[in-house]
Structures are given as C-alpha cells and as structure tokens.
Amino acid sequence: MTLLDLSPATGRTNPAAPATPYRAAVLGDTDPLRFLDEHGAPVEGGLRPADEHLTSERLLAVYRALRLARAFDTEATALVMQGHLAVYPSSRGQEACQAAAALALGPEDWLFPTYRDTAALAVRGIDPAEALTLLRGSWHCGYDARQWRTAPQCTPLATQAPHAVGLALAAKLSGDPVVALCLLGDGATSEGDFHEACNSAAVYQAPAVFLVQNNQYAISVPLRKQTHAPSLADKAVGYGMPGVRVDGNDVIALLHVLGEAFERARSGQGPTLIEAVTYRIQAHTNADDAARYRDRHEVDFWLTRDPVDRLAKYLTATGDLDETLDEAIGEEGARYATRMRAALVEEPKVDPAEMFEHVYAAPTQQLREQRRMVEEGRMADEAGE
C-alpha cells in the first residue's frame, strides 16, 4: 500500500497535536455559538459577523431562501401524503441548515447531500421536480450532478462522506480551489464511513467541510443513546481538525461558521467538523410515527425556536422587514409551490425495461432473463386490457 505525502506546506513542531482554533471552545463548553437568541434578538457576547454579512440586502436574500425552503418542504409533505412521492424525509425545523449550506457554497464548490437535504438542493437552484425524482422511486437522482456540482442524494448513512473527501483530495492534487461540503445527520456519526472520511480528510488536509445536522434523533434513537461524548463537535479533536458547535436554527451564525470553515479549507488549512444543533419537527419520514418515541411537549419546545420566525423577528426589529414585504415574499413561495405541484402531480411515463440498461456495460445472462420476464409480463398485461 502506498501512502500519499500530502502534508501541508507549513511545518508543525508537533505533528501529533495540530493546532485547532476551536478546540478550547469545544471541550468543556457545549453551548452552541449563536448570533440570535430564540426570540430573534442579538445575543450579548455572542458571535459578531462582519458588517458585510449583516446588510439588509444580504439578510433579505437569506430570509427569502429560508421561506423558499419552508415552501418546498410544505409542498413536498403534501405531495407525499397524496401519493405523488414514494417517500419524503421532511426538513421542517432544519431550514437554517438547508439554506446556509446552499448559500455558503461558491460556484466551483461541491455539495454532498443526504436524503433529507432536498430543500438545500432547491435553494441551490435545482428544479424541484428534478430534486424530488429520486423520492418518486426513480433509479436516478433526477438532476445533472456535474452541472449543479451536487452529488446524488445519499440514503445509506455517511456513505457520501468518503466521496466528498475523495473529491476534495482530487481538487487539492489538481490545484483547484474547490471545497466539498458534506451534509450529515447525527445518526451518521455512528457509522464507520464517517470516521474514515474525517480521519482521511484530516490526515491529508483535504479541503472538506462536514456539517452535521444534529436533529436529536437517528430515526427513533435519541442522541444520548448514540454517543457519550459531550457534543458531536468534540469528535473533531480526535481527528486533529477544528470542531465547532453552532445553533442550527440561527442562520446568521451558521453562515458565519461555514464561511470561516470554507476559508480555512480553501486556504490549505484542511477540514472542519461543524455540529449544528437543530430539531426535526416532523417524523423521520411519512412512514414513521414519531409519537411512539418522543413527547409532544418536546416538539412544542422546539417550535418556539423556529429558524424562519427567528430571522423574521430580527429583520422586523431592524426595520428591514415589514408586513407588506413579508407577504410579498410569502407569495413568491406560494407561486414556487404551485409550479412545483404542477410538475409533480402528473405521473411520469416510465418504461420498466429502462431499469436494466445501466446495470452492466455488457448485460449478464441473468440480467437478460430478468428483462425478458419483465417485458413478457408487460405484454401480457397490455393484452389483458
């Protein structure tokens, strides 16, 4: 086995203990970084992003992205209940993570999403019908991954993390200023692929950012049964990379933390692990009954920390958002949802034989027999009509 020598150009006096600027802030201090409190007011002693990130124009664009993510999620939830989608994992309550992830990316950067990150795809600009193709039961992801620099949504937990590191490492070797952003849930941090990706990214100083959306549950398993670490961000210390714990419902804090992580990655300072503390308001998917494992009072508590309302309150207090403008933004979301519904209520015309076309370059005998059985069955059905 050959190991690549990709040590960073800057020397270390103690390579076994690399400097991590957030290490002291994470260990022994599990309070997430915040700019806004749950009421939309700036936190005393909290984060202070640069002034250019707090302009009216910038924050209204961010608010529009949050509202679009909410409109997308609301419409997708309705579509799955009406049978137009096979399954839909809602991101309700996690819109700040979704919007911040998409907005933090530069045009050259890559996004590696999970099955719950469809709203991030929508904010990235991908057509909603294309973004939801996989969740309609299709064999492909629906969008051009190269065009959108967005990998197919990944259903198996954490398997996209090594892919993200591989792309980031390839970019580093090629001298391309590309950062790979890998989205994960808290359940994914219990997977071996997560460990391998973080360890490899740190060893080779790959320009990758891991954003863990800690929504408190891996399906029905609460975080306390997944790890004994004080926080998921603490895991970064063992890999030798910065670990940051941030309020996942504070989109301004998220953009600030992501911006710093991207800057470190792009400047050759390696990966960052970010834990965004948030909450999954809806059930795991439409097939899940969340009432079996969590209390309604817990959901009500997190509803008071809604990421969309939080930014709206801040913008109202600063005078940048009034009722008329808020209604206009809401109408934009309604028109988006209408177009989304029109594209998805019509059932797609599918050729069952298509599923056999991209399995092997040269079909095996078994595959040819399976295809023949499907085609004969279809012809029999059509004859019976």
Side-chain angles (χ1 to χ4, degrees):
M1 185 170 103
T2 303
L3 294 179
L4 296 174
D5 183 8
L6 295 174
S7 302
T10 55
R12 292 179 182 157
T13 55
N14 183 4
T20 53
Y22 282 95
R23 175 180 291 181
V26 171
L27 290 177
D29 180 9
T30 58
D31 290 336
L33 301 175
R34 295 198 295 174
F35 172 69
L36 297 177
D37 65 17
E38 60 271 23
H39 306 295
V43 175
E44 184 177 354
L47 287 177
R48 285 297 176 265
D51 291 341
E52 59 264 27
H53 298 309
L54 298 175
T55 64
S56 299
E57 182 180 7
R58 169 65 170 165
L59 291 184
L60 284 174
V62 172
Y63 181 63
R64 279 187 163 88
L66 287 177
R67 292 292 298 272
L68 182 135
R70 175 64 56 84
F72 176 94
D73 183 77
T74 301
E75 187 59 39
T77 300
L79 287 167
V80 75
M81 298 301 290
Q82 295 164 7
H84 297 298
L85 298 175
V87 66
Y88 180 67
S90 172
S91 58
R92 176 70 184 270
Q94 298 178 218
E95 290 89 350
C97 295
Q98 298 288 293
L103 295 174
L105 294 160
E108 71 281 1
D109 297 326
W110 273 78
L111 177 66
F112 287 79
T114 75
Y115 56 86
R116 196 177 300 282
D117 299 317
T118 326
L121 273 57
V123 176
R124 190 143 170 77
I126 297 174
D127 182 272
E130 294 183 0
L132 289 167
T133 293
L134 186 68
L135 300 178
R136 298 183 86 175
S138 179
W139 57 266
H140 62 87
C141 72
Y143 53 88
D144 187 331
R146 286 180 179 271
Q147 175 191 349
W148 291 103
R149 302 181 85 80
T150 301
Q153 289 177 270
C154 197
T155 300
L157 296 190
T159 55
Q160 80 280 15
H163 302 163
V165 175
L167 184 137
L169 183 54
K172 177 177 179 176
L173 290 170
S174 302
D176 297 331
V178 172
V179 176
L181 174 60
C182 181
L183 301 183
L184 302 148
D186 49 287
T189 64
S190 298
E191 297 290 332
D193 283 332
F194 171 78
H195 162 72
E196 292 154 10
C198 289
N199 193 53
S200 296
V203 167
Y204 295 124
Q205 290 292 282
V209 176
F210 302 95
L211 176 59
V212 178
Q213 298 171 79
N214 176 9
N215 66 16
Q216 311 304 315
Y217 289 91
I219 307 183
S220 60
V221 180
L223 184 66
R224 68 179 182 276
K225 293 186 177 181
Q226 298 178 56
T227 181
H228 195 60
S231 76
L232 296 178
D234 278 311
K235 294 177 180 288
V237 177
Y239 299 117
M241 72 170 81
V244 189
R245 196 167 199 247
V246 62
D247 187 331
N249 287 9
D250 180 352
V251 69
I252 298 177
L254 274 164
L255 286 168
H256 173 79
V257 168
L258 281 166
E260 290 196 336
F262 270 69
E263 185 178 348
R264 283 196 296 274
R266 217 181 299 280
S267 62
Q269 298 179 57
T272 301
L273 174 62
I274 300 171
E275 176 192 359
V277 182
T278 183
Y279 193 79
R280 191 195 75 213
I281 295 297
Q282 300 288 0
H284 175 67
T285 69
N286 52 295
D288 175 40
D289 179 9
R292 297 178 63 184
Y293 54 83
R294 67 182 189 185
D295 190 272
R296 180 66 206 181
H297 296 298
E298 180 181 300
V299 180
D300 291 341
F301 172 82
W302 281 94
L303 283 171
T304 64
R305 283 150 174 75
D306 184 81
V308 182
D309 291 344
R310 185 182 301 197
L311 184 59
K313 290 174 181 177
Y314 175 72
L315 291 173
T316 300
T318 60
D320 295 314
L321 182 68
D322 57 24
E323 186 175 348
T324 301
L325 178 56
D326 200 28
E327 287 180 358
I329 294 173
E331 290 171 1
E332 292 172 8
R335 289 193 295 271
Y336 179 90
T338 298
R339 294 193 300 271
M340 177 177 166
R341 167 168 288 276
L344 288 163
V345 292
E346 184 178 346
E347 293 300 319
K349 293 181 174 59
V350 178
D351 180 3
E354 190 181 51
M355 74 175 81
F356 299 100
E357 292 180 359
H358 305 288
V359 181
Y360 295 106
T364 63
Q365 179 62 31
Q366 185 182 39
L367 196 65
R368 286 195 294 269
E369 291 176 358
Q370 291 175 354
R371 179 168 187 157
R372 178 182 54 78
M373 290 174 59
V374 169
E375 291 177 341
E376 288 177 353
R378 181 175 58 173
M379 287 188 292
D381 291 340
E382 292 173 351
E385 293 177 358

